[in-house]
Amino acid sequence: MDKLLIKGGNPLNGEICISGAKNAALPILASTLLAETPSYISNVPNLQDITTMMSLLGRMGIEFVIDEKLNIEAKSHNIHTFTAPYEMVKTMRASILVLGPLVARFGQAYVSLPGGCAIGARPVNLHIEGLTAMGADINVEGGYITAQAKRLHGATIMMDIVTVTGTENLMMAASLADGVTTLENAAREPEVVDLANCLKSMGAHIEGAGTSTIRIEGVEKLSGTDYSVLPDRIETGTYLVAATMTGGKVKVKNTDANLLDAVLLKLLEAGATITRGNDWIELDMQGRRPRAVNIHTSPYPAFPTDMQAQLTAMNAIAEGVGMLTETVFENRFMHISELQRMGAEIRLEGNTAIINGVERLQAAPVMATDLRASAGLVLASLVAEGETLVDRIYHIDRGYERIEEKLTQLGAEIRRSH
């Protein structure tokens, strides 16, 4: 199993390019099931989750042609099976995103209940309730969702809690439904907007994406599209936090500063100087130690839960005391015991972590428990004294493209070992 060996102490300096957003690319790939002609998707990150999604879609009959830049052509005219089997779905929760498109276009789906990171309950009941309201006949037994419908019809669907994949699944299904569907309490994330823009380029009629009410007027059929995935705001934020922690100066390119206002605000509070352009952000700490910040995670546009572990690592070496409250996932503090092994002073009270910043962390063998927790441990390792071994980094490979190459480019001492 791969590990990362990281020698701490180097300030990060230089420029890197940000990859396409995994959390936008996955639903966009699933949406190619809806199109009757080929789609061309570019700026797709080269990640394990993307490979898993393409394998799943390939098993259903989508033919992929990929060039050396990872531009993907998806031909969806020959789909012959409507099953998403457990052995593929168990590694990635986003596999549930095939449910809506399959029922909407083919009138049937047989999809395993999903797996993925063990960060807390992420129930699929909202997907099922929404599709049922649109006229699908759904049974859940033996760990599988069986769904059937002649043709879905429009409905007004009020979601109890904000769900990104639920919003995406129902939006895709509604694109081919008969009549108008209104999604209330919809997720507002940029990745939801990106999927809506992709669907609109296929011929869908969607209004309100990026607000809490999305209105979709179903059409008879959708055609293929040529679409570029938006930049990854979480990858962008992770490298900016790395620069903040190491006292460095880093410019991230091929990104969009408008997607992470809540994160940039906290880094300014921590003492960073930030300049931004159309597709770049530069952060300069001028060798200073960051100041502690308080964080409260909430759905977009508030501070993202996917950046919580990285800010926990930053607060661990910051001046002062920072309080971090996690409101989105109940099990998202598994990195804290590993940071404590490196000398971090963190106290947990319910869903709040109280972090007393120390001047320096010490290298120690640590273990990644989920995708963003592993990013937090990598950042902590960049500022720890000695060489840290981060184990079980297959989690990182699910969400960060070539992380060791990009960090090496910025002057970090990091290498992969088996």
Side-chain angles (χ1 to χ4, degrees):
M1 203 176 284
D2 280 11
K3 304 170 177 57
L4 284 176
L5 277 163
I6 303 166
K7 189 164 185 243
N10 295 359
L12 299 187
N13 288 290
E15 299 183 352
I16 51 163
C17 287
I18 294 302
S19 303
K22 172 189 87 133
N23 288 343
L26 290 170
I28 285 170
L29 285 171
S31 78
T32 62
L33 285 166
L34 294 164
E36 296 188 5
T37 50
S39 294
Y40 301 86
I41 313 294
S42 55
N43 202 34
V44 176
N46 187 4
L47 299 170
Q48 187 55 52
D49 274 10
I50 299 292
T51 307
T52 302
M53 180 61 88
M54 288 174 66
S55 302
L56 176 60
L57 295 171
R59 178 178 282 211
M60 291 173 183
I62 289 193
E63 295 168 35
F64 289 107
V65 181
I66 306 170
D67 69 14
E68 69 286 348
K69 290 185 176 169
L70 214 70
N71 296 315
I72 295 171
E73 179 186 6
K75 300 175 185 173
S76 53
H77 61 283
N78 196 22
I79 291 162
H80 50 76
T81 176
F82 313 109
T83 299
Y86 173 69
E87 68 266 19
M88 301 190 82
V89 174
K90 68 179 179 184
T91 60
M92 184 183 71
R93 298 197 63 89
S95 311
I96 191 75
L97 288 165
V98 301
L99 178 63
L102 286 175
V103 182
R105 185 173 165 206
F106 303 103
Q108 57 181 304
Y110 187 58
V111 178
S112 169
L113 292 166
C117 279
I119 56 176
R122 293 192 274 187
V124 297
N125 61 309
L126 296 173
H127 305 236
I128 293 168
E129 287 165 17
L131 288 169
T132 302
M134 293 164 75
D137 184 12
I138 298 184
N139 287 308
V140 181
E141 55 189 4
Y144 276 80
I145 303 164
T146 306
Q148 288 181 309
K150 278 205 169 71
R151 186 180 178 193
L152 296 174
H153 56 71
T156 297
I157 299 164
M158 173 70 192
M159 289 177 276
D160 291 348
I161 53 170
V162 176
T163 159
V164 174
T165 52
T167 301
E168 291 166 342
N169 229 339
L170 298 175
M171 187 165 65
M172 286 190 281
S175 297
L176 286 181
D178 184 18
V180 174
T181 300
T182 306
L183 303 179
E184 302 278 6
N185 197 26
R188 298 161 60 186
E189 270 70 3
E191 295 78 14
V192 172
V193 178
D194 209 35
L195 173 63
N197 289 338
C198 178
L199 292 169
K200 288 199 286 196
S201 71
M202 291 176 167
H205 297 166
I206 300 171
E207 294 168 6
T211 76
S212 57
T213 303
I214 303 178
R215 185 180 180 277
I216 308 108
E217 190 178 337
V219 295
E220 285 289 329
K221 61 179 188 185
L222 295 173
S223 313
T225 184
D226 191 336
Y227 196 80
S228 179
V229 175
L230 95 170
D232 194 319
R233 62 192 170 104
I234 304 301
E235 188 198 18
T236 302
T238 300
Y239 288 113
L240 292 175
V241 174
T244 306
M245 288 174 68
T246 61
K249 181 181 180 181
V250 166
K251 184 176 190 176
V252 289
K253 300 188 295 187
N254 294 5
T255 191
D256 183 351
N258 299 320
L259 301 179
L260 60 164
D261 286 336
V263 174
L264 296 181
L265 209 59
K266 288 299 170 185
L267 296 181
L268 284 169
E269 227 178 276
T273 302
I274 296 172
T275 45
R276 53 205 269 180
N278 277 346
D279 62 353
W280 58 269
I281 306 168
E282 186 170 75
L283 181 145
D284 190 357
M285 276 304 278
Q286 297 162 351
R288 294 190 302 266
R289 181 181 171 195
R291 292 191 292 270
V293 296
N294 295 332
I295 300 288
H296 189 279
T297 68
S298 268
Y300 191 85
F303 192 89
T305 179
D306 278 358
M307 285 298 303
Q308 181 257 103
Q310 299 88 315
L311 267 289
T312 305
M314 185 192 85
N315 273 343
I317 53 101
E319 274 178 60
V321 177
M323 290 177 70
L324 249 145
T325 303
E326 173 60 64
T327 72
V328 181
F329 292 122
E330 72 276 11
N331 208 11
R332 207 161 203 180
F333 278 138
M334 292 189 285
H335 46 287
I336 284 179
S337 56
E338 300 299 296
L339 288 170
Q340 286 167 333
R341 287 165 50 76
M342 299 174 77
E345 289 183 21
I346 306 174
R347 191 170 86 252
L348 267 180
E349 287 186 8
N351 63 340
T352 298
I354 299 149
I355 306 159
N356 186 23
V358 296
E359 284 212 18
R360 54 185 58 86
L361 296 172
Q362 304 295 328
V366 292
M367 188 171 71
T369 50
D370 64 69
L371 169 52
R372 305 306 172 185
S374 23
L377 295 177
V378 167
L379 298 191
S381 307
L382 293 172
V383 295
E385 281 186 349
E387 192 171 62
T388 301
L389 179 75
V390 184
D391 204 350
R392 288 176 64 181
I393 59 155
Y394 59 84
H395 287 294
I396 288 187
D397 293 335
R398 288 186 46 226
Y400 290 90
E401 185 174 27
R402 305 190 318 275
I403 191 167
E404 70 273 29
E405 282 179 42
K406 291 186 182 184
L407 286 171
T408 300
Q409 225 174 306
L410 296 174
E413 284 186 58
I414 175 171
R415 61 191 168 87
R416 188 174 285 248
S417 73
H418 299 291

